[in-house]
Amino acid sequence: MILHSGPPRGLSPLLLLLLLHTLLTLGGAFYLPGLAPVNFCKKTDTSSTCKSDVILYVNRLNTEESVIPYEYHHFDFCLGIEENSPVENLGQVVFGERIRPGPYKIQFLENQACAVACTKEYKGGDPISNRRMMVLKKGISLNYQHHWIVDNMPVTWCYPLENGKQYCGTGFPMGCLVRTDGEGCPINSIYNQPMHYYPFNHVDLEITYHSGQLEDWGIGFGNSGRIISVKVTPKSIKHTDLNSVNCLSAEPLAISETSLKTGEQLKIIYTYSVKFVKNDAIKWSSRWDYILESMPHTNIQWFSILNSLVIVLFLSGMVAMIMLRTLHKDIARYNQMDSGEDAQEEFGWKLVHGDVFRPPRKGMLLSVFLGSGIQVLVMSMITLAFACLGFLSPANRGALMTCSMVLFVSLGTPAGYVSARIYKSFGGLKWKSNVILTSIVCPGVVFSLFFVMNLVLWFENSSGAVPFSTLIALLALWFGVSVPLTFVGAYFGFRKRALEHPVRTNQIPRQIPDQSIYTQPIPGIVMGGVLPFGCIFIQLFFILSSLWSSQMYYMFGFLFLVFLILVITCSETTILLCYFHLCAEDYHWWWRSFLTSGFTAVYLFIYCCHYFITKLSIKDSASTFLYFGYTAIMVFLFFLLTGTIGFFACFWFIRKIYSVVKVD
């Protein structure tokens, strides 16, 4: 089992900081799935190069009907030795993963027909028993899902779909509830008593392995192997006698709504069976394929993304062609003018050359947003590049979030540098305030929202609640790494000379003529986010499904292409609208360029609301609050990302056109 690097328990925050920054960066960035396979062999084999114990790890349980995950022991299941738990990395802790050794004892190539894991007894009238049973029933009614791991592979539950194909999911239910109308438990037709709970107290585990018979790592025929897949079949079985359990019994364990009356006793015996199957046709390096290929959305995603890319590329080409032809004619016409009177008769962007670089209002806030936006932009590009190369695959749990957080913290220098350079170009003098706000405002907004969400998870006793020691480590990364790096970047930014604009700014501002409805600020900003959002909404559905519906996201190559198209589309849309406003003699482009592409985040929020209403079955207030809280964090970061792209594209465009035109 590959255990990922992470913060050891009980260490001081400073030492924790050093370990996070060193181990997570090295261990999380250079792991390639398939690089370190684990060889298993029979217990009778004395070779030291293989393992005989197949450890099954259990993870936290979640459901589509609630955002709140819970640890495995929350539902009173059989427990393993939790002291031997692998240490989660930073990304796993933030995502709420809590990996613990399971209670199932598995030896390689040793089949088990019907083994007992443990027994749980409940007594009516006992408050502790009543509470344990209530928690178990609530988990079954909300369809909470198990997530197990064997040899760094998810244990899958495979079942047929209506189209005749098979779907293999990475989770399986802890039980099912038959409602008053008889629906709610399609896994087996014998689970049919209305308002009865059927806990899945038995699992059939089928472990497929590659024997290595013709491989150089094989120890001997039939004695060694590498695990290819682990499939589970959950069942509800009524065991009457602990000494003579029958795992082939068809009688299910049904718990009524009014169970555990005073004096009544209930016993749940948890059992399991293990079967090993040899399959030398599937290589160890291809063992994830059956999970990814069985997902029903795979083919749809290919065609949808390709269709979206073609449309967006076509629109981007049209916009670029129009801009280049129109600008070429404008510049040629302006440069051929002989007198100022001719210039006054012209209607165009040259007339505002004396005001186009006039510093905007709230320039401090704009520079702070741009600094943090650069931080998010560079972090996103590097993270997606690593993901495309396979370093952040689903096999390396938590690596994506770990890489993102470490990169964000480490990119304080470019954030401080960009913010300082932009603020100095505005003629700002409060450099101390600029540095402090750049290092605190945007990360502070994200951390504050995250902390409020964490308080709710703490109150709900959820496994998603980040421990206090991890919060201290995050604060140490923020104030111990990110803030000093921001100060370093700002120091170099303020030391450089202010940006020299290609034209001088007049002392008296030019009056802006009345604008039509199409060139007014708000309609232009609202229209500016439509095209960028159009190139991401298909990918957005699958990203949200992976976040809230426990589906696996793995097509990072397409995501990287869509990200590049998003950058191009935000840039061209902002440049086009900025050009129209300048032609209408409206020179207030600083904030408008940021908000035009940044408005894509508003459409993102609207789509998240649509996804919440149409795709999720969340009803409780705590989960609703958590969903929209985490959505607010995502929307805010996306606002900084897209706004920064649009601003710098427009900034480059305006400096370019005013540098090639003759100004008297």
Side-chain angles (χ1 to χ4, degrees), residues 67-89:
V67 179
I68 304 172
Y70 289 104
E71 279 208 55
Y72 182 79
H73 58 67
H74 177 79
F75 294 103
D76 195 36
F77 295 128
C78 303
L79 301 180
I81 304 176
E82 296 197 354
E83 289 76 11
N84 298 332
S85 301
V87 180
E88 297 92 0
N89 59 36

Side-chain angles (χ1 to χ4, degrees), residues 542-563:
F542 298 110
I543 292 173
L544 292 178
S545 297
S546 67
L547 289 174
W548 305 113
S549 300
S550 299
Q551 296 186 16
M552 191 173 297
Y553 189 87
Y554 63 96
M555 302 188 75
F556 292 106
F558 273 114
L559 182 60
F560 188 70
L561 286 177
V562 170
F563 179 78

Side-chain angles (χ1 to χ4, degrees), residues 527-602:
M527 290 187 297
V530 174
L531 188 58
F533 178 75
C535 75
I536 66 166
F537 80 96
I538 296 176
Q539 279 290 322
L540 189 60
F541 170 78
F542 298 110
I543 292 173
L544 292 178
S545 297
S546 67
L547 289 174
W548 305 113
S549 300
S550 299
Q551 296 186 16
M552 191 173 297
Y553 189 87
Y554 63 96
M555 302 188 75
F556 292 106
F558 273 114
L559 182 60
F560 188 70
L561 286 177
V562 170
F563 179 78
L564 295 179
I565 296 298
L566 174 67
V567 173
I568 296 172
T569 312
C570 284
S571 303
E572 294 187 344
T573 304
T574 308
I575 289 173
L576 183 63
L577 293 174
C578 182
Y579 172 72
F580 289 156
H581 289 118
L582 290 176
C583 288
E585 301 179 39
D586 186 353
Y587 51 83
H588 294 309
W589 65 273
W590 299 95
W591 271 106
R592 186 178 299 161
S593 64
F594 186 87
L595 296 175
T596 297
S597 55
F599 201 81
T600 311
V602 177

